[in-house]
Amino acid sequence: MSFLVLALMVTLSFNLSHALRQKMSLQQHSDSMSFSMAVLEARALNYYAVSNRAIAGSYVAMNSLHAYMAAASVTGAMLRAGESNFNDIAKAEGLRCAACGGRCLCCKHAIDAGEIAADFGKEARMYDREVRVLESSFRTAMEGLDLMVDSLHSSQREVHENTLQAVRDGSSHGLSRLKTDTAPTASELSSAVGGMNANEFNCAVDGMDCQGSVASTSADARARVATEIGNASRSGWPSNRNGGGSPPKHLNAQFLAEFRKIPGKGMCQVLDHQGSSKTTQSSSKVDIYKGGRSGGNQGSTVAAVEEGSLRHSGWEDALPAQNSYEALIWSDANGGGHDNGGIDTHRGRHRFEGTNARALTACAGSGNCFMKYRANPSSSRDWGQPRVYSYYTMKLNVGDLKKAPWELNSSRSVKFDHGNQGSGSLTLSAAEGTALSKSLVYYHRFKQGGWSEPPNLFAPYWRVKLHPFTASEARRVLDEAGNSDAATIADAPGVSL
């Protein structure tokens, strides 16, 4: 009897040891799968952040292009302002000539002022022709930047779809190697649990199909985000080209010398010169100069303006003359336009599709879209940060008596009779084990106050950690996996999750 009891204890020890080893392997596999799938999501979110910056940089480049074209175009407009000044002087001098009966010097001044006005007009037309030459290169650059935005978002969609596939099946994109290395006999990821992972990842991106989180914002709301970020990223020159009372420094000195050279005498002043370029709601100057948040800018147009006034004084004995000038250029869905002080120097079309003009699910190839984080105000939803679950099962016994003789038989059980006490049975170990894991993809910038920075998809600081379950979460995952018995145990008090 002693030897029998000792033999049963030995076989029980072997069975339990093997089962515990298998269970630890299964749990390690479940943890590594959850963590690895979460790493794929974090890398995807970080890619969205970097590529979103590149998309915003494309809008900044478009603003700069329009600023350069406005600065080039304003040259003709400024020369036409000089033409208008001397036409005004010629008229004034002509009136004085008529008053003196043609016998005063102002008659000659009227003729000379008319000739100077003609010289200004001739120079203006020459500069307008030069601007028209730039139009082709400008259009090519705009098309290239627009194509880059579309290509970047296409790559974002491809990354999103591949990541969805990986967290849904738990085996694609290299994840299958984890099973080979840690638990080759484990089950595949439950398809229902994989569906939960895919939904969690979709819920992190505004505009994607999502169940159980806040609703998607409108395309207009998403457009305002990208528009304001692009506008806020502009450097000083495209956003603010103020010359004050002196000639603007960004205009060529040789060009500015024309205003002194053509009249030959007198003083020329550039007054109140200003300019700006911006992704705006329209081509209106009011929109271009308007503050960032006013009016809900959805970014349907890229526009730039440059304007000011030109004052000529001290020419002969004529009274001073002053006229304004303006150059406006814009690109929109209708092909844009170019207004150079009332003279159209626009040739061809330079289109801009608009910022995030279409829903994310419908603009894989066009539409200037980007990835926006879907913030959730609820702490129970981890503020919208995606969670990744894993659920696996695996046999804890070997099932082959030649390889594991300590299992005694295929059922790993012993039946016995004990006289008047009756019969009994002893199961040496469990047949199958279950493992459940959870990881959290979270945002954290390493700096003072970094935890107070809200999650977003414009800074690549997404990280991963294994995360504890709540009882309700564990029950939901187990129910989805079809393990209702374990789901009931999850609600039991004192059960560690």
Side-chain angles (χ1 to χ4, degrees):
M1 180 62 72
S2 299
F3 275 111
L4 176 59
V5 171
L6 180 61
L8 286 174
M9 291 178 63
V10 169
T11 56
L12 180 62
S13 298
F14 271 108
N15 275 281
L16 288 175
S17 298
H18 184 268
L20 288 172
R21 181 177 180 276
Q22 291 292 88
K23 181 62 172 70
M24 287 189 290
S25 296
L26 178 61
Q27 188 61 54
Q28 288 172 347
H29 173 61
S30 180
D31 290 346
S32 63
M33 285 299 300
S34 171
F35 192 86
S36 297
M37 288 188 290
V39 166
L40 290 179
E41 290 191 9
R43 288 175 176 171
L45 296 176
N46 285 328
Y47 175 72
Y48 300 160
V50 173
S51 51
N52 276 345
R53 288 188 173 205
I55 290 172
S58 299
Y59 298 145
V60 173
M62 291 179 187
N63 286 328
S64 297
L65 273 177
H66 284 71
Y68 281 117
M69 282 301 292
S73 301
V74 82
T75 55
M78 291 176 72
L79 286 164
R80 274 188 293 279
E83 179 183 17
S84 298
N85 282 348
F86 276 90
N87 277 330
D88 291 344
I89 291 173
K91 290 176 184 177
E93 292 297 294
L95 291 174
R96 292 173 64 186
C97 174
C100 71
R103 296 186 298 273
C104 56
L105 192 59
C106 53
C107 297
K108 180 178 183 304
H109 293 168
I111 297 172
D112 291 344
E115 291 176 351
I116 292 172
D119 289 341
F120 269 114
K122 180 180 178 181
E123 286 292 308
R125 290 188 291 275
M126 184 189 75
Y127 274 90
D128 287 342
R129 286 194 296 271
E130 295 295 328
V131 172
R132 291 191 186 101
V133 172
L134 295 176
E135 277 283 323
S136 175
S137 298
F138 173 75
R139 289 197 305 272
T140 300
M142 278 296 296
E143 290 169 359
L145 288 168
D146 189 72
L147 177 61
M148 185 170 77
V149 173
D150 291 342
S151 298
L152 283 168
H153 182 65
S154 293
S155 72
Q156 289 179 332
R157 285 299 306 272
E158 183 178 0
V159 167
H160 195 85
E161 290 167 2
N162 288 338
T163 306
L164 279 179
Q165 179 185 357
V167 301
R168 184 181 285 118
D169 61 32
S171 60
S172 56
H173 305 291
L175 290 176
S176 60
R177 293 181 57 187
L178 287 172
K179 178 180 177 181
T180 303
D181 294 341
T182 58
T185 61
S187 66
E188 300 296 333
L189 179 68
S190 165
S191 59
V193 176
M196 292 176 65
N197 292 338
N199 182 67
E200 284 281 328
F201 188 51
N202 268 342
C203 287
V205 180
D206 195 359
M208 294 297 180
D209 293 333
C210 162
Q211 302 295 324
S213 187
V214 295
S216 295
T217 57
S218 66
D220 291 345
R222 292 193 295 272
R224 286 193 289 269
V225 172
T227 300
E228 296 303 338
I229 289 175
N231 287 336
S233 302
R234 293 172 300 167
S235 58
W237 185 79
S239 61
N240 185 9
R241 299 186 298 283
N242 291 344
S246 60
K249 295 181 180 179
H250 61 273
L251 296 181
N252 187 279
Q254 182 179 349
F255 161 74
L256 294 173
E258 298 283 343
F259 294 97
R260 295 186 295 272
K261 178 182 176 182
I262 293 175
K265 60 181 68 175
M267 181 168 57
C268 175
Q269 292 176 287
V270 178
L271 303 175
D272 302 321
H273 187 98
Q274 62 177 338
S276 184
S277 58
K278 190 177 181 182
T279 309
T280 69
Q281 194 65 15
S282 72
S283 59
S284 166
K285 285 196 301 180
V286 175
D287 277 350
I288 297 174
Y289 289 123
K290 186 183 292 184
R293 296 188 180 183
S294 178
N297 187 358
Q298 298 168 16
S300 61
T301 306
V302 179
V305 64
E306 191 135 352
E307 59 184 345
S309 61
L310 197 68
R311 176 184 172 87
H312 279 98
S313 60
W315 184 81
E316 301 298 353
D317 60 350
L319 293 174
Q322 181 173 330
N323 277 278
S324 61
Y325 56 84
E326 175 186 303
L328 177 65
I329 182 171
W330 69 95
S331 299
D332 57 18
N334 296 321
H338 199 162
D339 184 2
N340 191 359
I343 306 298
D344 184 12
T345 56
H346 172 61
R347 290 293 181 270
R349 294 163 58 86
H350 34 89
R351 295 185 69 251
F352 175 63
E353 294 177 294
T355 306
N356 201 47
R358 301 165 65 187
L360 289 180
T361 53
C363 67
S366 63
N368 286 358
C369 294
F370 74 110
M371 296 299 210
K372 176 182 175 293
Y373 180 65
R374 188 201 305 257
N376 190 311
S378 173
S379 60
S380 64
R381 285 285 307 177
D382 297 306
W383 294 277
Q385 298 171 124
R387 298 166 291 197
V388 183
Y389 304 109
S390 64
Y391 173 87
Y392 291 94
T393 60
M394 186 173 73
K395 286 178 58 178
L396 301 184
N397 64 306
V398 178
D400 187 345
L401 296 181
K402 292 182 180 180
K403 296 180 180 179
W406 59 82
E407 291 183 354
L408 299 182
N409 52 51
S410 59
S411 63
R412 305 163 322 287
S413 62
V414 177
K415 295 181 179 180
F416 55 88
D417 293 319
H418 193 258
N420 294 333
Q421 301 296 323
S423 62
S425 64
L426 174 66
T427 301
L428 301 178
S429 70
E432 187 176 77
T434 298
L436 188 68
S437 301
K438 172 191 172 186
S439 292
L440 179 68
V441 184
Y442 68 100
Y443 179 88
H444 179 217
R445 184 194 290 262
F446 288 146
K447 66 171 187 176
Q448 186 176 2
W451 284 115
S452 62
E453 181 172 302
N456 65 85
L457 292 184
F458 282 93
Y461 297 108
W462 287 92
R463 311 174 191 281
V464 177
K465 62 177 178 178
L466 288 171
H467 204 62
F469 279 95
T470 63
S472 60
E473 271 186 308
R475 182 177 64 252
R476 186 162 64 92
V477 173
L478 291 167
D479 277 334
E480 290 289 339
N483 193 339
S484 57
D485 292 337
T488 303
I489 296 174
D491 284 329
V495 175
S496 174
L497 295 174

